[in-house]
Amino acid sequence: MRQKKEGNKLIFEAKEPASITAVSINTIAAENFYNSNFWHKVAHLLFVFYLYESSKAVPASEYANFHIKGYRFHNFSEDDIMILKRDWQIVHDFIVNIQENYSEEDAKKEYPKLSSIINKQITYLDTAPKYPHPPRFRLRKRLVSVIIQQTFNGSKFEKLPNHYFSNSDVEEKCAELTRFFLGWSMADILEHFGVSVNRSKKTELKQYAEQVIIRMFGGTSNKLSKIEMFRKLGYIGKSITISSKETKTEDTKLMSVDFDELTELFTEGDDGTLREKTFEDSDLYHYFHDNKLLCIIFQENKPDENGKPRLMRFVNG
C-alpha cells in the first residue's frame, strides 16, 4: 500500500494491481469458471498488507525494509463474483476463439490483444504482462484500494438499490435517466429528490451536481466516492455546464498532480528490478486507463433581464 492525500486526510490505497494467477493460455479453454485455476485462487483470499515506505521506486530486495500493517480474510460478494465471472469468461472466450480459428503461428499475433482490446472490455480484472511473456490475471488497482480502505480507513461505501455488473449496465441507466430528466433544471431535479435549494437568491448549483447523479441512481450519499459501485467500476463524477449558446463555461478539473511521482526516472519491473519509467507506469496514465468520467451536462438558459444566467437545465448524462 501507499498513502495518498484525499481532502484533509491521508488514506491508504493500493500501490499497484494485485496479481492472482497465470492466464494459462494452454489450458484455460478446457476450464469453466468454477473449476478454473483463477476461481480456486480468489474464492477465499488472505491479503497481507505492507506500506511502501519510500518516496521513490526501489528494487524488490528492499521490500524487506517495509512494515506489515495488517491482514484481511476476504470473500467477494455475490455481485462481485458475477463481475469476476463475466471478466474471466471474456478472456476464456477470446482464447477459445483464437485456438479454434487460427493456426498456431497466427495465434501468436492475436494473443497480444489480451492486454489491449480485451483489457478494455473487462471490469475488475486486467492481464499483464503483454504476450509472449506469460500473462497473469490481476485485480485492478481501484478494486484493491476499496478493499484496503474498508480495512484500514473504516470506509463504509453505500450500496445502490440496483445491480450493475458492467459498464453497459451503467450506460443503459444513464440513457434511461436522460430520457426522463431531459429539460429539467437542476433545482427541479433536486426538489424531485427532496433536496431543498434556495431559489430566492443566486445559488451555486454546481456543488449539487454529484448529489444529482447519486440521487438519480437511487443513492443517498453526497459524493460518488462514497458509492461502492462507482468506486469499484472506476467512475469519477464530473459536472459540465455549457452556456445558452452551447459553448463551454469553464474547464473541467481532473486529478491533482504529484510532482514527485511525475519526475521519477525509474520504476520496478515485473522481475523485481528497476527499469526506466514510461508513461504507462505513471499515475496520470492509470487515472485515465482505470477510470471513466461520468459527466452530467447542464445548459444555462438565456440570461434574465438583469443579464444573469437562469437556473441550469439538464441536457445529457
Side-chain angles (χ1 to χ4, degrees):
M1 310 180 299
R2 64 181 181 183
Q3 284 190 312
K4 170 188 175 183
K5 190 170 184 180
E6 187 172 275
N8 298 324
K9 60 181 181 179
L10 288 172
I11 64 169
F12 292 122
E13 68 170 7
K15 179 181 175 292
E16 56 199 11
S19 293
I20 300 298
T21 191
V23 174
S24 304
I25 285 174
N26 295 328
T27 60
I28 192 174
E31 298 177 336
N32 64 57
F33 178 73
Y34 288 108
N35 73 10
S36 67
N37 289 328
F38 172 79
W39 176 245
H40 289 164
K41 292 288 183 70
V42 301
H44 307 287
L45 286 172
L46 168 61
F47 285 108
V48 179
F49 303 103
Y50 61 91
L51 184 61
Y52 197 87
E53 298 169 294
S54 176
S55 59
K56 60 182 180 180
V58 299
S61 59
E62 294 189 28
Y63 280 31
N65 298 323
F66 299 154
H67 291 85
I68 291 175
K69 293 295 182 180
Y71 67 91
R72 177 189 180 104
F73 288 102
H74 185 78
N75 292 318
F76 287 103
S77 68
E78 289 300 316
D79 281 3
D80 286 341
I81 293 171
M82 289 291 292
I83 295 173
L84 291 170
K85 181 179 179 181
R86 174 187 172 277
D87 286 356
W88 181 90
Q89 195 68 47
I90 289 173
V91 174
H92 169 275
D93 293 350
F94 169 76
I95 294 174
V96 168
N97 177 64
I98 291 174
Q99 293 178 350
E100 290 180 349
N101 295 290
Y102 292 85
S103 67
E104 185 174 344
E105 193 60 33
D106 288 339
K108 294 177 182 178
K109 301 175 184 178
E110 294 297 312
Y111 288 135
K113 294 178 181 178
L114 268 175
S115 58
S116 54
I117 295 174
I118 300 302
N119 273 355
K120 294 177 181 178
Q121 298 176 13
I122 52 184
T123 305
Y124 279 2
L125 302 177
D126 69 9
T127 62
K130 295 180 181 179
Y131 187 87
H133 302 291
R136 300 180 64 82
F137 282 111
R138 305 190 305 178
L139 300 178
R140 287 186 184 266
K141 175 182 170 180
R142 63 172 183 259
L143 176 62
V144 183
S145 289
V146 170
I147 294 170
I148 288 172
Q149 287 154 21
Q150 289 172 327
T151 305
F152 292 96
N153 295 102
S155 300
K156 296 186 182 298
F157 299 103
E158 181 182 354
K159 293 182 181 294
L160 296 176
N162 295 324
H163 301 277
Y164 300 91
F165 300 116
S166 67
N167 295 328
S168 60
D169 290 340
V170 178
E171 291 173 4
E172 184 178 331
K173 181 65 175 179
C174 286
E176 173 192 323
L177 293 169
T178 299
R179 289 192 295 269
F180 184 84
F181 288 106
L182 186 66
W184 290 41
S185 74
M186 184 181 283
D188 287 337
I189 296 173
L190 289 167
E191 187 175 292
H192 174 78
F193 289 115
V195 180
S196 60
V197 175
N198 186 354
R199 291 172 179 257
S200 63
K201 62 180 181 179
K202 185 178 179 180
T203 306
E204 180 56 57
L205 290 178
K206 188 174 181 180
Q207 63 185 305
Y208 295 102
E210 280 195 74
Q211 292 185 50
V212 166
I213 297 174
I214 293 165
R215 297 304 185 277
M216 285 178 170
F217 276 85
T220 60
S221 300
N222 293 331
K223 294 287 186 181
L224 258 71
S225 60
K226 298 297 182 183
I227 305 296
E228 184 174 285
M229 182 274 287
F230 289 128
R231 288 294 290 262
K232 287 182 174 180
L233 269 61
Y235 283 96
I236 299 173
K238 293 292 177 183
S239 60
I240 297 175
T241 306
I242 57 177
S243 71
S244 59
K245 297 180 180 179
E246 298 187 357
T247 58
K248 73 172 187 177
T249 58
E250 60 183 349
D251 295 330
T252 299
K253 298 180 181 66
L254 297 174
M255 61 180 287
S256 298
V257 178
D258 181 345
F259 289 101
D260 290 333
E261 184 275 333
L262 189 67
T263 56
E264 288 177 349
L265 299 178
F266 300 97
T267 190
E268 182 191 342
D270 294 322
D271 59 359
T273 61
L274 295 184
R275 60 171 174 79
E276 186 175 354
K277 187 173 181 178
T278 66
F279 173 65
E280 285 77 12
D281 300 312
S282 68
D283 284 350
L284 180 62
Y285 171 83
H286 284 286
Y287 179 87
F288 290 106
H289 177 71
D290 275 354
N291 298 306
K292 294 161 287 294
L293 301 182
L294 178 58
C295 299
I296 182 168
I297 304 173
F298 284 88
Q299 183 177 21
E300 294 176 344
N301 288 336
K302 292 181 179 180
D304 60 20
E305 61 276 7
N306 297 316
K308 295 181 178 180
R310 300 176 188 270
L311 295 176
M312 298 178 291
R313 64 186 179 87
F314 181 71
V315 293
N316 206 351

